[in-house]
Amino acid sequence: MSAAPRAEMHGDAAAMAAEAMALIEDLAAISDEPGRLTRLYLSASHRRAADHVRAQMIEMGLATSIDAAGTVVGRYEGSRPGMPALLLGSHIDTVRDAGRFDGALGVAVALAVVANLARRNRRLPFAIEILAFGDEEGIRFPSTLAGSRAIAGSFDLSTLADRDADGISLADALRAFGSDPAAIAAAARRPQDVLGYIEVHIEQGRVLEHANQAVGLVSGISGATRLGVTVEGVSGHAGTLTMPDRRDALCGAAEMVLAIEDVARGCEQVVATVGRLVAEPGAVNVVPGKVAFTLDLRTFRDAERRRVLGEILERCDAIAGRRGLELHHEVFYDQPTTVCDRALKAGLAATLSRLGLDPIEIQSSAGHDGLALAALFPMAMLFVRCKDGVSHHPDESVSPADIGTAGVVLRHFLEALH
Ligand code: GLV
Ligand code: MN
Ligand code: MN
């Protein structure tokens, strides 16, 4: 690389990193829970975060809106108004007790890059729209990716009746947020208006750390299946019900959880997680009569995921049968593995190479909004190095220098795109 672009890179990188970090810190302070970062889809804190992102977009001179699924949209026109748009973005919802980079990083880098273009009054031969989605984590309602599915025209209107743990329906939560559920279909984009979608995201793994590099490419996003499982036994008195007479739903569920772990451990590149388990009636002196738990199952090979799910259900059935329990399950999310667009990926790879970086490709085991968007538009992602691979945890960390590099890569890619 010549001396000139390297010098230019430093100034740009530092400025974009500082701007992106400032927004990431702002968003980290907007939480549903004091003392830890939890920002669930359509919560009061999601609304505050959306308003904050929108205010930043307005300050940058973007045309803004919040669509009916709660996605914040900021449009930077191209060399002529009304040109097809390249979509950039990520999500501003979080898991419970989250880190500050998962999602916020991609929104913040996109804003910093577009602010850089706007300051130089650099108009491109296409518009850019920055999207801040609200439902990538999918932990409030059974359905997931409501925002990106609305944009892709694949939002399932029947999910409006889904309820969260407090019994609030998705439709009512949208209304409380200030959105009109009846307008969701109108949020869908036409393929001819969109050139593609590019997302910057924290890697959530250690490939880049091991390669000692700030930024890499995503080759594809792992498919996932999520289920609700219910185990029914018979509740009874913890003192008087003898052990042989019990049909304890929690003991059965415990055995199932370990069987799930055992099945997944026996398969390569399969991960299975029971992330939530509720026993009823939930009293110290009552044998649990009913247990509900969730299962999240992922692997890159869709056929393997179906096979493993079958094996897990067989093992759980056998446990239920042996213990006199009833077993029910309902798949509430099933997303096939999605590959990133070859042409967009090649463009990003060429940019990385031009900047002296190795175009390392990483498979994403985490889900992203690109899963929904890829059905309609070309989709690609950049990963940014993640300290120790830690994510979905308050210790999640990305260095400002790496954020600056991500900004430079994205800006160079955009300016080279015709
Ligand atoms: C989202 O982060 C997911 O992969 O579940
Ligand atoms: Mn994410
Ligand atoms: Mn996440």
Side-chain angles (χ1 to χ4, degrees), residues 269-287:
Q269 294 186 325
V270 171
V271 286
T273 306
V274 174
R276 188 177 156 83
L277 187 149
V278 180
E280 289 177 26
V284 67
N285 59 350
V286 183
V287 175

Side-chain angles (χ1 to χ4, degrees), residues 36-376:
R36 58 184 208 162
L37 175 55
T38 300
R39 200 165 52 236
L40 302 192
Y41 180 42
L42 303 177
S43 62
S45 72
H46 176 205
R47 179 73 225 193
R48 280 193 286 138
D51 288 341
H52 185 69
V53 168
R54 187 178 190 183
Q56 293 244 320
M57 290 171 167
I58 291 170
E59 214 169 285
M60 285 162 52
L62 307 190
T64 69
S65 57
I66 298 185
D67 78 13
T71 301
V72 189
V73 182
R75 182 174 169 99
Y76 180 69
E77 292 292 352
S79 43
R80 281 180 287 107
M83 296 177 103
L86 184 72
L87 310 181
L88 304 178
S90 192
H91 60 99
I92 54 171
D93 65 319
T94 74
V95 292
R96 294 180 200 282
D97 200 14
R100 53 190 57 194
F101 296 94
D102 179 0
L105 174 68
V107 174
V109 169
L111 279 164
V113 168
V114 173
N116 177 296
L117 297 174
R119 267 196 301 274
R120 294 184 289 127
N121 201 19
R122 177 86 164 90
R123 297 286 166 176
L124 303 174
F126 50 88
I128 295 175
E129 291 194 21
I130 302 175
L131 307 177
F133 294 111
D135 185 32
E136 190 253 15
E137 301 293 2
I139 57 170
R140 179 168 177 190
F141 295 98
S143 57
T144 301
L145 306 179
S148 39
R149 285 183 173 169
I151 295 274
S154 57
F155 184 98
D156 176 358
L157 291 173
S158 73
T159 61
L160 288 170
D162 286 353
R163 292 183 184 275
D164 70 5
D166 297 323
I168 300 168
S169 71
L170 175 53
D172 283 343
L174 282 164
R175 285 187 204 101
F177 186 81
S179 289
D180 174 11
I184 282 189
R189 302 305 180 91
R190 299 183 311 169
Q192 63 266 38
D193 296 334
V194 177
L195 299 175
Y197 172 73
I198 297 184
E199 173 165 349
V200 173
H201 200 281
I202 180 175
E203 183 197 332
Q204 308 181 286
R206 303 191 74 174
V207 175
L208 290 168
E209 199 170 58
H210 287 143
N212 193 26
Q213 185 163 295
V215 176
L217 298 168
V218 177
S219 54
I221 308 172
S222 172
T225 304
R226 291 180 178 167
L227 286 75
V229 180
T230 310
V231 184
E232 280 189 64
V234 179
S235 60
H237 196 293
T240 59
L241 195 57
T242 62
M243 296 311 282
D245 287 338
R246 293 188 182 200
R247 287 161 63 198
D248 184 324
L250 183 51
C251 289
E255 208 181 326
M256 291 174 199
V257 172
L258 293 178
I260 290 166
E261 182 191 45
D262 185 51
V263 172
R265 276 182 191 271
C267 308
E268 236 181 283
Q269 294 186 325
V270 171
V271 286
T273 306
V274 174
R276 188 177 156 83
L277 187 149
V278 180
E280 289 177 26
V284 67
N285 59 350
V286 183
V287 175
K290 185 172 174 184
V291 168
F293 66 86
T294 57
L295 170 62
D296 178 301
L297 182 65
R298 306 189 195 199
T299 175
F300 298 110
R301 287 159 295 155
D302 293 330
E304 172 73 345
R305 201 171 62 257
R306 282 190 292 275
R307 188 197 66 72
V308 172
L309 178 59
E311 190 179 334
I312 284 174
L313 291 174
E314 252 174 50
R315 291 271 296 265
C316 291
D317 258 334
I319 293 164
R322 185 159 36 75
R323 288 175 167 270
L325 304 169
E326 264 190 57
L327 185 72
H328 303 281
H329 75 270
E330 188 192 1
V331 174
F332 59 80
Y333 177 82
D334 191 37
Q335 188 73 45
T337 289
T338 301
V339 292
C340 291
D341 180 72
R342 203 181 270 268
L344 283 181
K345 209 176 59 178
L348 289 167
T351 305
L352 286 171
S353 300
R354 268 203 312 282
L355 294 170
L357 297 165
D358 186 5
I360 299 167
E361 290 202 18
I362 305 160
Q363 272 275 18
S364 175
S365 306
H368 301 287
D369 286 292
L371 282 168
L373 297 170
L376 207 63

Side-chain angles (χ1 to χ4, degrees), residues 1-9:
M1 205 196 288
S2 72
R6 197 182 286 276
E8 175 229 25
M9 203 172 125

